[in-house]
């Protein structure tokens, strides 16, 4: 009983910032800026802040930029990691060990430390303020290659041999035998890459200066100062930005929880 | 040709075929990996030995002078100190509290999915959103926290402006944001402990607390080791939430090393200098990783 009480208090504490943000976003600006805490604002609840943010702001276009870039990053990362993971797991090619060692070494390099040289490179490639500039440096993940390799290692080779005897080439075996068996892990990898890309701040912040190309997290950062004292609009934008991932979570709860539990990837 | 020669030739051809296939599969990844990780890593190392600025003035090799300057730079040491302090302050509660939460939820109380959702939901948010929520919570006049304190006749506290409190506020926000990941890993590990162990212990007369310290915590040791490793490395790289909550203030009290790298490069335009600090910091990360690796291996060997 005591345990239940402690747990309930903690869970409520964890939900308070959400609840308070939602409540503020549903107030009129006058009520939101009033200096007392109130659950029943004098002006009543209103959707005014959401209407303003959605009609006047850049939020819809930033959300679009986030969606395009995150989907591209997810697609490219999953495809390249699966192909490379398969090569590491099943093919004995020259240079394999060298490449593998390089990947292991690269995992401890924090991408934050490469921002200066990467930005200079983007200038040289003419990719600053483009979708590709946001996408490419995020579209590969050494850790995911290792996770997928480990998964492919567990698939019995006999399953592939049968297809090969029938004359199927490597790509065909990969596509029609290995990938269908790997659906759960591919889904988990895709969800994590998507969440990471959708939420990433530092790199899109550095590579975009044009407000039309900003992703949602970067754009919101500019809104925060632009709105200044408009607390209700501020919270409405934050809620709108959080919403897509909450929906993703509700849909893919199982895969997300299983993904963390079995592979331990994620991490800020 | 003898049969041996024929098979040798066939083997060589098969080997070439394997290499071709292997690289064909690995190429899309390898190209991105080399272009956007290996090349910038090498280019950054080169930059760190130059006097590069935005305008290109003062470029050319300058030997180790950027490194020497960095080691003599009080601001570099201060932001490094802040980062280590943040790591120390955040790692301990992020491990202990997440374990406590997982133990509580694992007791089998009703409403399991709701607990899981409450603690995990913040982990899904972008740092910008987290900071918007918490800037509002910490707002000196209108914020919920000071409002509640006021009801109890306490406060107000300048959460983000008071040099004594600002880092604690950053840690609280980080705790709220990231605990869900550790919590889920612990919860999964708890479910892997065989039930029989508890039954056997109960038969031997071990109470719940006794079971916690002699069964649960030792069984969770590998998970704890993994989480501490991930946590320390993640905390050392902190940037987003501090940059947006306090911009490193007040008076540089919360400025992290990544923010200092960012500022030297992108607002000070000292690309060479910024790269040198990156490499010094990278050396530190390698040392920390090696130390942790040794510690974990020694423990599991013992």
């Amino acid at each position: 009983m005591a345990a239940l009480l402690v747990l309930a208090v903690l869970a409520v504490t964890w939900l308070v910032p959400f609840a308070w943000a939602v409540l503020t976003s549903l107030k009129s600006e006058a009520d939101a800026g009033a200096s007392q805490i109130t659950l029943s604002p004098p002006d009543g609840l209103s959707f005014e802040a959401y209407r303003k943010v959605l009609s006047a702001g850049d939020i819809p276009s930033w959300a679009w930029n986030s969606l395009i870039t995150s989907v591209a990053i997810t697609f490219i990362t999953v495809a390249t990691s699966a192909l490379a993971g398969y090569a590491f797991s099943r093919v004995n090619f020259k240079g394999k060990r060298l490449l593998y060692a390089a990947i292991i070494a690269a995992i401890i390099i924090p991408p934050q430390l490469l921002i200066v040289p990467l930005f200079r490179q983007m200038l040289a490639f003419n990719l600053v303020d483009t979708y590709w500039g946001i996408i490419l440096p995020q579209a590969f993940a050494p850790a995911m290659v290792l996770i997928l390799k480990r998964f492919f290692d567990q698939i019995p080779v006999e399953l592939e041999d049968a297809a090969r005897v029938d004359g199927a080439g490597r790509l065909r075996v990969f596509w029609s035998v290995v990938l269908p068996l790997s659906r759960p892990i591919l889904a988990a990898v895709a969800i994590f890459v998507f969440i990471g890309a959708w939420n990433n701040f530092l790199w899109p912040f550095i590579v975009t200066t044009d407000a039309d190309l900003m992703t949602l997290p970067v754009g919101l950062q500019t809104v925060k100062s632009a709105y200044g004292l408009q607390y209700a609009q501020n919270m409405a934008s934050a809620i709108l930005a959080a919403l897509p991932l909450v929906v993703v979570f509700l849909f893919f709860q199982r895969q997300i929880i299983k993904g963390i539990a079995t592979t331990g990837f994620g991490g800020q | 040709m003898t049969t041996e020669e024929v098979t040798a030739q066939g083997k060589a051809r098969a080997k070439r075929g394997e290499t071709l296939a292997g690289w064909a599969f690995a190429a899309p990844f390898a190209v991105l990996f080399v272009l956007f990780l290996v090349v910038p890593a090498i280019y950054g190392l080169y930059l760190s030995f130059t006097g590069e600025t935005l305008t290109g003035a003062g470029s050319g090799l300058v030997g180790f002078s950027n490194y020497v300057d960095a080691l003599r730079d009080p601001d570099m040491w201060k932001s490094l100190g802040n980062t280590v302090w943040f790591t120390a302050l955040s790692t301990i509660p992020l491990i202990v509290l997440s374990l406590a939460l997982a133990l509580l939820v694992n007791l089998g109380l009703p409403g399991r999915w709701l607990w899981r959702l409450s603690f995990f939901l913040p982990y899904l948010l972008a740092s910008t959103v987290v900071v918007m929520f918490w800037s509002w919570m910490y707002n000196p006049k209108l914020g919920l926290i000071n409002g509640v304190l006021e009801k109890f006749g306490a406060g107000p506290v300048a959460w983000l402006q008071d040099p004594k409190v600002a880092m604690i506020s950053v840690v609280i926000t980080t705790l709220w944001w990231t605990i869900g990941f550790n919590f889920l890993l612990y919860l999964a590990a708890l479910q892997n402990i065989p039930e029989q162990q508890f039954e056997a212990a109960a038969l031997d007369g071990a109470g719940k607390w006794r079971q916690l310290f002699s069964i649960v915590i030792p069984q969770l040791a590998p998970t704890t080791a993994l989480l501490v490793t991930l946590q320390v490395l993640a905390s050392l790289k902190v940037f987003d939430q501090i940059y947006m909550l306090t911009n490193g203030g007040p008076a540089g009290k919360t400025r992290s090393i990544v923010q200092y790298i960012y500022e030297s490069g992108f607002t000070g335009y000292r690309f060479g200098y910024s790269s040198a600090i990156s490499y010094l910091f990278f050396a530190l990360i390698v040392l920390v990783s090696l130390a942790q690796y040794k510690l974990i291996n020694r423990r599991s060997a013992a």
Side-chain angles (χ1 to χ4, degrees), chain B residues 221-222 225 292-302:
Chain B
Q292 285 181 329
Y293 182 77
K294 281 238 157 116
L295 265 171
I296 291 169
N297 268 18
R298 189 197 296 159
R299 202 191 290 156
S300 55

Side-chain angles (χ1 to χ4, degrees), chain A residues 3-4 6-8 10-11 13-18 20-21 24 32-35 37 76 80 83-84 86-87 90-95 99 102-103 106 108-110 112-122 125 136-137 139-142 145 170-171 174 195 199 201-202 205-206 217-218 220-221 223-224 231 234-235 237-239 241-242 245-246 249-250 253 256-257 260-261 264-268, chain B residues 15 18-19 21-23 25-26 28-30 32-33 35-37 39-41 43-44 47 52-53 97 101 104-105 107 109-110 113 115-129 131-137 139 141-144 147-148 151 175-179 181 184-185 188 226 230 233-234 237 239-240 243-245 258 261-262 265-266 271 274-275 278-279 281-282 285-286 289:
Chain A
L4 190 62
V6 173
L7 198 54
L10 284 167
T13 310
W14 243 258
L15 290 173
V16 161
F18 280 106
W20 207 50
T24 305
S35 64
I37 301 172
I76 301 173
T80 56
L83 286 166
Y86 184 74
R90 287 289 199 264
V91 191
N92 282 313
F93 60 102
K94 229 182 182 172
L99 188 61
I103 289 179
I108 57 167
I109 299 183
Q112 289 92 330
L113 299 188
L114 300 178
I115 49 178
V116 165
L118 206 50
F119 182 75
R120 299 285 304 256
Q121 249 179 292
M122 292 293 135
F125 295 168
L136 288 174
F140 65 99
V145 175
R170 284 231 181 245
L171 198 59
F174 174 70
I195 293 173
N199 285 342
F201 175 74
L202 185 57
F205 171 65
I206 282 173
V218 178
L220 279 183
Q221 167 67 7
V223 147
K224 230 174 47 178
Y231 300 113
N234 235 314
M235 287 305 112
S237 345
I239 301 285
L245 282 194
V246 175
F249 178 74
L250 293 177
Q253 257 193 83
I256 291 177
I257 289 168
I260 289 188
F265 58 70
Q268 293 299 330
Chain B
K15 225 175 169 183
E18 283 278 277
T19 293
W23 279 102
F25 274 88
F29 169 82
L32 290 169
F33 176 74
L35 267 183
F36 300 109
L37 200 133
V39 169
Y43 181 45
L47 276 178
E52 284 269 340
T53 59
L97 191 60
L101 291 177
L104 278 171
V105 170
L107 287 176
L109 302 169
W113 68 271
W115 314 124
R116 222 166 44 190
L117 187 71
S118 318
F119 300 126
F120 185 68
L121 210 51
Y123 181 75
L124 293 172
L125 303 181
S127 52
T128 319
V129 173
V131 168
M132 287 172 96
F133 283 3
W134 281 87
S135 304
W136 182 225
M137 296 281 290
N139 186 303
K141 280 210 192 95
L142 305 168
L144 183 66
V148 170
K151 293 241 152 99
L175 193 64
W176 180 82
W177 181 27
T178 59
I179 203 164
F181 176 77
L184 280 190
L185 263 192
L226 173 71
L230 292 176
L233 290 176
K237 291 181 271 187
F239 171 77
D240 295 13
Y243 177 73
M244 289 186 268
L245 271 175
V258 173
I261 290 168
Y262 164 73
F266 290 95
F271 291 125
S274 173
S275 300
S278 294
Y279 272 87
F281 185 52
F282 182 52
I285 286 190
V286 171
S289 311

Side-chain angles (χ1 to χ4, degrees), chain A residues 35-229:
Chain A
S35 64
Q36 73 254 43
I37 301 172
T38 163
L39 287 177
S40 52
D43 292 354
L45 296 180
S46 92
F47 286 92
E48 194 52 33
Y50 287 93
R51 209 171 302 140
K52 280 206 173 128
V53 163
L54 283 174
S55 64
D58 292 313
I59 289 198
S61 76
W62 290 334
W64 177 247
N65 294 340
S66 276
L67 188 69
I68 294 271
T69 53
S70 305
V71 167
I73 289 165
T74 307
F75 182 79
I76 301 173
T77 305
V78 172
T80 56
S81 307
L83 286 166
Y86 184 74
F88 283 125
S89 172
R90 287 289 199 264
V91 191
N92 282 313
F93 60 102
K94 229 182 182 172
K96 174 175 168 174
R97 297 180 88 180
L98 183 72
L99 188 61
Y100 197 67
I103 289 179
I104 303 261
I107 282 180
I108 57 167
I109 299 183
Q112 289 92 330
L113 299 188
L114 300 178
I115 49 178
V116 165
L118 206 50
F119 182 75
R120 299 285 304 256
Q121 249 179 292
M122 292 293 135
L123 277 175
F125 295 168
N126 261 327
L127 288 175
V128 172
D129 274 325
T130 64
Y131 278 152
W132 287 114
I134 300 173
I135 294 166
L136 288 174
Q138 297 187 73
F140 65 99
M144 299 302 169
V145 175
L146 297 190
I147 284 168
L148 287 168
K149 175 205 180 282
R150 235 174 277 150
F151 185 86
F152 296 147
D153 283 346
Q154 293 168 351
I155 298 176
V157 188
E158 294 76 38
L159 289 175
E160 293 172 49
D161 289 345
R164 300 203 72 179
V165 168
D166 290 344
R170 284 231 181 245
L171 198 59
R172 167 117 214 130
V173 170
F174 174 70
W175 182 259
S176 51
V177 179
V178 176
L179 284 189
L181 290 168
S182 315
R183 254 184 223 146
I185 190 102
L186 290 171
V189 167
I191 291 163
F192 276 92
V193 173
F194 182 84
I195 293 173
W198 181 275
N199 285 342
N200 193 8
F201 175 74
L202 185 57
W203 179 249
F205 171 65
I206 282 173
V207 84
T208 50
T209 53
D210 182 351
D212 290 341
L213 279 164
M214 286 177 178
T215 59
L216 204 45
V218 178
L220 279 183
Q221 167 67 7
T222 65
V223 147
K224 230 174 47 178
S225 29
Y227 284 173
L229 299 177

